[in-house]
Amino acid sequence: MEYGLDPSFPIYAGGLGILAGDHMKSVGDLRIPLTGIGLFWDEGYTKQTISRAGQVEDGYPKTPRDALRRIDVRLEVTVRGKKVPLRAWKLERYITSTLYLLEPEHEDDRWITQRLYGGGDEDRLAQEIVLGVGGVRLLHALGEAVDVYHFNEGHAVFAGLELLRQHRYGGATLPERVAKLRPHVAFTTHTPVPAGNEVHELALMRKMDADLGFTDAELEVIGGDPFSMTVAGLRLARIANGVAELHGETARTMWKDVDGAAPIIAVTNGVHAPTWQDARIRAALVPDKAKATQDAELWNAHQAMKREMVAEIATRTGVHLKAEGFVIGFARRAASYKRADLILGDDAALAKLFDAGVQIVYSGKAHPRDTEGKKLVVKLVEAAKQHPGHVVFVESYDMRVGALLTRGVDVWLNNPRRPLEASGTSGMKAAMNGVPNVSILDGWWPEGCEHGVTGWKIGDADPADDAFDEADAKRVDLRDRQLLFDVLENEVLPAYADRAKWVAIMRASIAMSQWRFASDRMIEDYVAKVYSASAPAT
Ligand SMILES: *Cc1c(COP(=O)(O)O)cnc(C)c1O
């Protein structure tokens, strides 16, 4: 649905898209024969601005088209019973792998791909019909021999419906057709958060009529009633995966009652090192240098990146942070489970941190329809006003801001409500730049954390504590806030006061992440455990 390839090409919203972008970059670097299908979003995703009065506003600039080359194919899908001719673009920049982007040919159908995650359920289904049905038809029109279809998130499930419709996977009954298709499909689920696991009423599926020839009863067999894209993905695939070890476990529990579901394994996410790791970090650590030289260069590289960040923040916000002072970074989508405001909830403890010279840099956008998320952004903007010089909010979090902050801050803070963060990848970017993580043991962090060595955990991982309901969430929030202040005061700040100790932690953070949390490793895992596990094409 989205690809984060470059800040100047905003057809992505956040983590999911940047992961797909990094996937395509590594596939190109490693020369894996994988082709990407996406949509061309005419106005991309929201660009956030904060007015002087502190109002958070969304803007929608046009996506540039100069990196696109039109492909000569005729394609058509059906939406609401009406034929929608499509055109296909091939992306000519940013990656060496192949990515096709689809959009309706005619102006009056363009509402479908106007805005990423814009509109309501009907828009979403129309988008998914273009992506899934249009995507499969494009590959066939191009004569591509496909061994495995990777439905990377439930958004792609219409591809499965189209494949079932086609003769190639034909058969007398629906179960027979599904049995023929499954060896050729892999499915990745990306979040345990309910809002991220889309469901649609069968009546709406019928209304959006994609002319694929399924009865309601057949759709129900595939995705349930209401139709769950995740359930459908699990039933149409031979193998499925979550995006970190812990998320694999969470997903297995979450979907255990789905009969006929693919087994769910885990492939932990990774980030594209050439994109996200500063070249100065790699240069500092080349093996032929003496350790003392490496240490000095690593520290100096970090200081240089930190000064660049401080200067850029001053330009953008007018706030001058102190480059000598300790800086905590927190930037992510403003979703409530990520608890951006956790650290702001205890004034006395916060004042103590500020007295010790601690500064906090925030950035984050809310989904255009997420009112809770928007309130959270307003709260962060207000905190910045309330604590000038100590808290700053950088508007319009995007790949550029992400790169700036994951290089320039001293530690990367992550405090989601466990186990709702499926993986998280910003912490991997930070780790690779020698910015250690201070994080709840959620997502990827249980795999990367060696407490006090590669970074720090906030509290422990007791599955009995994992909070899903509201009442429990409040208690967990209170406890986690206390644990967060404890680890900052008693462990992180004392370590920062000892340069040799700190540089050792920076080194350990880089060594831990360099390969294990790189997208090249992730792609090797997908090839070995997910793509190759499928039977060859019939
Ligand atoms: C890396 C990145 C993300 C994803 O990070 P999370 O840790 O999953 O929140 C989101 N947005 C931007 C701009 C990023 O660079």
Side-chain angles (χ1 to χ4, degrees), residues 376-395:
L376 195 54
V377 172
V378 169
K379 200 166 168 189
L380 301 181
V381 171
E382 275 166 9
K385 274 196 187 153
Q386 210 184 328
H387 308 287
H390 294 294
V391 179
V392 59
F393 184 86
V394 181
E395 71 187 37

PDB file of all heavy atoms in Angstrom, residues 376-395:
ATOM      1  N   LEU A 376      -2.761  13.934  21.047  1.00  0.00           N
ATOM      2  CA  LEU A 376      -1.433  13.619  21.571  1.00  0.00           C
ATOM      3  C   LEU A 376      -0.392  14.591  20.993  1.00  0.00           C
ATOM      4  O   LEU A 376       0.468  15.106  21.721  1.00  0.00           O
ATOM      5  CB  LEU A 376      -1.093  12.176  21.206  1.00  0.00           C
ATOM      6  CG  LEU A 376       0.065  11.494  21.906  1.00  0.00           C
ATOM      7  CD1 LEU A 376      -0.097  11.561  23.418  1.00  0.00           C
ATOM      8  CD2 LEU A 376       0.144  10.031  21.465  1.00  0.00           C
ATOM      9  N   VAL A 377      -0.492  14.865  19.691  1.00  0.00           N
ATOM     10  CA  VAL A 377       0.444  15.806  19.065  1.00  0.00           C
ATOM     11  C   VAL A 377       0.299  17.190  19.713  1.00  0.00           C
ATOM     12  O   VAL A 377       1.292  17.840  20.049  1.00  0.00           O
ATOM     13  CB  VAL A 377       0.233  15.883  17.535  1.00  0.00           C
ATOM     14  CG1 VAL A 377       1.064  16.998  16.928  1.00  0.00           C
ATOM     15  CG2 VAL A 377       0.584  14.548  16.883  1.00  0.00           C
ATOM     16  N   VAL A 378      -0.957  17.613  19.922  1.00  0.00           N
ATOM     17  CA  VAL A 378      -1.194  18.917  20.551  1.00  0.00           C
ATOM     18  C   VAL A 378      -0.544  18.949  21.943  1.00  0.00           C
ATOM     19  O   VAL A 378       0.089  19.933  22.335  1.00  0.00           O
ATOM     20  CB  VAL A 378      -2.719  19.203  20.657  1.00  0.00           C
ATOM     21  CG1 VAL A 378      -2.982  20.407  21.537  1.00  0.00           C
ATOM     22  CG2 VAL A 378      -3.308  19.407  19.273  1.00  0.00           C
ATOM     23  N   LYS A 379      -0.648  17.844  22.641  1.00  0.00           N
ATOM     24  CA  LYS A 379      -0.068  17.748  23.980  1.00  0.00           C
ATOM     25  C   LYS A 379       1.464  17.901  23.937  1.00  0.00           C
ATOM     26  O   LYS A 379       2.056  18.581  24.777  1.00  0.00           O
ATOM     27  CB  LYS A 379      -0.438  16.379  24.574  1.00  0.00           C
ATOM     28  CG  LYS A 379      -0.338  16.312  26.061  1.00  0.00           C
ATOM     29  CD  LYS A 379      -1.032  15.057  26.579  1.00  0.00           C
ATOM     30  CE  LYS A 379      -0.656  14.842  28.048  1.00  0.00           C
ATOM     31  NZ  LYS A 379      -1.118  13.547  28.546  1.00  0.00           N
ATOM     32  N   LEU A 380       2.088  17.301  22.934  1.00  0.00           N
ATOM     33  CA  LEU A 380       3.544  17.410  22.805  1.00  0.00           C
ATOM     34  C   LEU A 380       3.948  18.833  22.437  1.00  0.00           C
ATOM     35  O   LEU A 380       4.941  19.365  22.937  1.00  0.00           O
ATOM     36  CB  LEU A 380       4.059  16.428  21.743  1.00  0.00           C
ATOM     37  CG  LEU A 380       3.770  14.950  21.986  1.00  0.00           C
ATOM     38  CD1 LEU A 380       4.350  14.095  20.872  1.00  0.00           C
ATOM     39  CD2 LEU A 380       4.319  14.495  23.342  1.00  0.00           C
ATOM     40  N   VAL A 381       3.147  19.453  21.554  1.00  0.00           N
ATOM     41  CA  VAL A 381       3.433  20.832  21.157  1.00  0.00           C
ATOM     42  C   VAL A 381       3.309  21.745  22.386  1.00  0.00           C
ATOM     43  O   VAL A 381       4.126  22.644  22.609  1.00  0.00           O
ATOM     44  CB  VAL A 381       2.478  21.278  20.031  1.00  0.00           C
ATOM     45  CG1 VAL A 381       2.607  22.757  19.742  1.00  0.00           C
ATOM     46  CG2 VAL A 381       2.748  20.468  18.766  1.00  0.00           C
ATOM     47  N   GLU A 382       2.304  21.477  23.212  1.00  0.00           N
ATOM     48  CA  GLU A 382       2.131  22.272  24.434  1.00  0.00           C
ATOM     49  C   GLU A 382       3.268  22.051  25.427  1.00  0.00           C
ATOM     50  O   GLU A 382       3.740  22.994  26.059  1.00  0.00           O
ATOM     51  CB  GLU A 382       0.777  21.971  25.086  1.00  0.00           C
ATOM     52  CG  GLU A 382      -0.314  22.823  24.470  1.00  0.00           C
ATOM     53  CD  GLU A 382      -1.714  22.350  24.820  1.00  0.00           C
ATOM     54  OE1 GLU A 382      -1.863  21.456  25.682  1.00  0.00           O
ATOM     55  OE2 GLU A 382      -2.662  22.880  24.207  1.00  0.00           O
ATOM     56  N   ALA A 383       3.722  20.810  25.515  1.00  0.00           N
ATOM     57  CA  ALA A 383       4.844  20.515  26.416  1.00  0.00           C
ATOM     58  C   ALA A 383       6.087  21.291  25.991  1.00  0.00           C
ATOM     59  O   ALA A 383       6.854  21.778  26.828  1.00  0.00           O
ATOM     60  CB  ALA A 383       5.126  19.020  26.426  1.00  0.00           C
ATOM     61  N   ALA A 384       6.253  21.419  24.671  1.00  0.00           N
ATOM     62  CA  ALA A 384       7.407  22.167  24.169  1.00  0.00           C
ATOM     63  C   ALA A 384       7.314  23.637  24.574  1.00  0.00           C
ATOM     64  O   ALA A 384       8.320  24.271  24.908  1.00  0.00           O
ATOM     65  CB  ALA A 384       7.499  22.024  22.656  1.00  0.00           C
ATOM     66  N   LYS A 385       6.088  24.168  24.568  1.00  0.00           N
ATOM     67  CA  LYS A 385       5.891  25.570  24.973  1.00  0.00           C
ATOM     68  C   LYS A 385       6.130  25.741  26.469  1.00  0.00           C
ATOM     69  O   LYS A 385       6.690  26.745  26.916  1.00  0.00           O
ATOM     70  CB  LYS A 385       4.452  25.989  24.670  1.00  0.00           C
ATOM     71  CG  LYS A 385       4.267  26.489  23.265  1.00  0.00           C
ATOM     72  CD  LYS A 385       2.950  27.241  23.161  1.00  0.00           C
ATOM     73  CE  LYS A 385       2.667  27.601  21.729  1.00  0.00           C
ATOM     74  NZ  LYS A 385       1.234  27.715  21.479  1.00  0.00           N
ATOM     75  N   GLN A 386       5.691  24.742  27.195  1.00  0.00           N
ATOM     76  CA  GLN A 386       5.749  24.793  28.653  1.00  0.00           C
ATOM     77  C   GLN A 386       7.171  24.636  29.181  1.00  0.00           C
ATOM     78  O   GLN A 386       7.505  25.156  30.233  1.00  0.00           O
ATOM     79  CB  GLN A 386       4.889  23.641  29.177  1.00  0.00           C
ATOM     80  CG  GLN A 386       4.238  23.887  30.511  1.00  0.00           C
ATOM     81  CD  GLN A 386       3.508  22.612  30.933  1.00  0.00           C
ATOM     82  OE1 GLN A 386       3.015  21.860  30.072  1.00  0.00           O
ATOM     83  NE2 GLN A 386       3.451  22.357  32.214  1.00  0.00           N
ATOM     84  N   HIS A 387       7.992  23.901  28.448  1.00  0.00           N
ATOM     85  CA  HIS A 387       9.362  23.642  28.901  1.00  0.00           C
ATOM     86  C   HIS A 387      10.359  24.119  27.851  1.00  0.00           C
ATOM     87  O   HIS A 387      11.081  23.314  27.262  1.00  0.00           O
ATOM     88  CB  HIS A 387       9.574  22.149  29.153  1.00  0.00           C
ATOM     89  CG  HIS A 387       8.563  21.526  30.054  1.00  0.00           C
ATOM     90  ND1 HIS A 387       8.536  21.746  31.418  1.00  0.00           N
ATOM     91  CD2 HIS A 387       7.531  20.689  29.800  1.00  0.00           C
ATOM     92  CE1 HIS A 387       7.536  21.055  31.954  1.00  0.00           C
ATOM     93  NE2 HIS A 387       6.907  20.420  30.992  1.00  0.00           N
ATOM     94  N   PRO A 388      10.417  25.440  27.607  1.00  0.00           N
ATOM     95  CA  PRO A 388      11.284  25.920  26.530  1.00  0.00           C
ATOM     96  C   PRO A 388      12.750  25.556  26.803  1.00  0.00           C
ATOM     97  O   PRO A 388      13.212  25.629  27.935  1.00  0.00           O
ATOM     98  CB  PRO A 388      11.067  27.442  26.548  1.00  0.00           C
ATOM     99  CG  PRO A 388      10.493  27.743  27.896  1.00  0.00           C
ATOM    100  CD  PRO A 388       9.753  26.529  28.334  1.00  0.00           C
ATOM    101  N   GLY A 389      13.430  25.141  25.748  1.00  0.00           N
ATOM    102  CA  GLY A 389      14.834  24.777  25.911  1.00  0.00           C
ATOM    103  C   GLY A 389      15.033  23.344  26.382  1.00  0.00           C
ATOM    104  O   GLY A 389      16.119  22.788  26.268  1.00  0.00           O
ATOM    105  N   HIS A 390      13.985  22.746  26.947  1.00  0.00           N
ATOM    106  CA  HIS A 390      14.106  21.365  27.409  1.00  0.00           C
ATOM    107  C   HIS A 390      13.352  20.402  26.514  1.00  0.00           C
ATOM    108  O   HIS A 390      13.766  19.251  26.341  1.00  0.00           O
ATOM    109  CB  HIS A 390      13.560  21.225  28.835  1.00  0.00           C
ATOM    110  CG  HIS A 390      14.369  21.959  29.845  1.00  0.00           C
ATOM    111  ND1 HIS A 390      15.662  21.614  30.143  1.00  0.00           N
ATOM    112  CD2 HIS A 390      14.075  23.045  30.612  1.00  0.00           C
ATOM    113  CE1 HIS A 390      16.127  22.436  31.061  1.00  0.00           C
ATOM    114  NE2 HIS A 390      15.189  23.326  31.356  1.00  0.00           N
ATOM    115  N   VAL A 391      12.208  20.859  25.987  1.00  0.00           N
ATOM    116  CA  VAL A 391      11.409  20.004  25.107  1.00  0.00           C
ATOM    117  C   VAL A 391      11.207  20.751  23.797  1.00  0.00           C
ATOM    118  O   VAL A 391      10.875  21.936  23.802  1.00  0.00           O
ATOM    119  CB  VAL A 391      10.026  19.683  25.729  1.00  0.00           C
ATOM    120  CG1 VAL A 391       9.197  18.824  24.782  1.00  0.00           C
ATOM    121  CG2 VAL A 391      10.185  18.986  27.074  1.00  0.00           C
ATOM    122  N   VAL A 392      11.423  20.048  22.681  1.00  0.00           N
ATOM    123  CA  VAL A 392      11.166  20.678  21.392  1.00  0.00           C
ATOM    124  C   VAL A 392      10.388  19.690  20.535  1.00  0.00           C
ATOM    125  O   VAL A 392      10.576  18.476  20.638  1.00  0.00           O
ATOM    126  CB  VAL A 392      12.485  21.140  20.714  1.00  0.00           C
ATOM    127  CG1 VAL A 392      13.428  19.984  20.482  1.00  0.00           C
ATOM    128  CG2 VAL A 392      12.211  21.845  19.394  1.00  0.00           C
ATOM    129  N   PHE A 393       9.455  20.245  19.742  1.00  0.00           N
ATOM    130  CA  PHE A 393       8.676  19.407  18.823  1.00  0.00           C
ATOM    131  C   PHE A 393       9.035  19.796  17.395  1.00  0.00           C
ATOM    132  O   PHE A 393       8.913  20.955  17.009  1.00  0.00           O
ATOM    133  CB  PHE A 393       7.169  19.595  19.058  1.00  0.00           C
ATOM    134  CG  PHE A 393       6.335  18.682  18.196  1.00  0.00           C
ATOM    135  CD1 PHE A 393       6.035  17.395  18.614  1.00  0.00           C
ATOM    136  CD2 PHE A 393       5.880  19.100  16.951  1.00  0.00           C
ATOM    137  CE1 PHE A 393       5.291  16.533  17.812  1.00  0.00           C
ATOM    138  CE2 PHE A 393       5.141  18.235  16.140  1.00  0.00           C
ATOM    139  CZ  PHE A 393       4.840  16.952  16.575  1.00  0.00           C
ATOM    140  N   VAL A 394       9.478  18.815  16.610  1.00  0.00           N
ATOM    141  CA  VAL A 394       9.842  19.056  15.209  1.00  0.00           C
ATOM    142  C   VAL A 394       8.670  18.618  14.341  1.00  0.00           C
ATOM    143  O   VAL A 394       8.245  17.467  14.397  1.00  0.00           O
ATOM    144  CB  VAL A 394      11.103  18.261  14.816  1.00  0.00           C
ATOM    145  CG1 VAL A 394      11.486  18.541  13.363  1.00  0.00           C
ATOM    146  CG2 VAL A 394      12.263  18.592  15.749  1.00  0.00           C
ATOM    147  N   GLU A 395       8.125  19.543  13.569  1.00  0.00           N
ATOM    148  CA  GLU A 395       6.915  19.192  12.826  1.00  0.00           C
ATOM    149  C   GLU A 395       7.186  18.329  11.600  1.00  0.00           C
ATOM    150  O   GLU A 395       8.308  18.228  11.118  1.00  0.00           O
ATOM    151  CB  GLU A 395       6.106  20.444  12.456  1.00  0.00           C
ATOM    152  CG  GLU A 395       6.725  21.314  11.399  1.00  0.00           C
ATOM    153  CD  GLU A 395       5.938  22.624  11.229  1.00  0.00           C
ATOM    154  OE1 GLU A 395       5.442  23.179  12.234  1.00  0.00           O
ATOM    155  OE2 GLU A 395       5.836  23.078  10.081  1.00  0.00           O
TER     156      GLU A 395
END
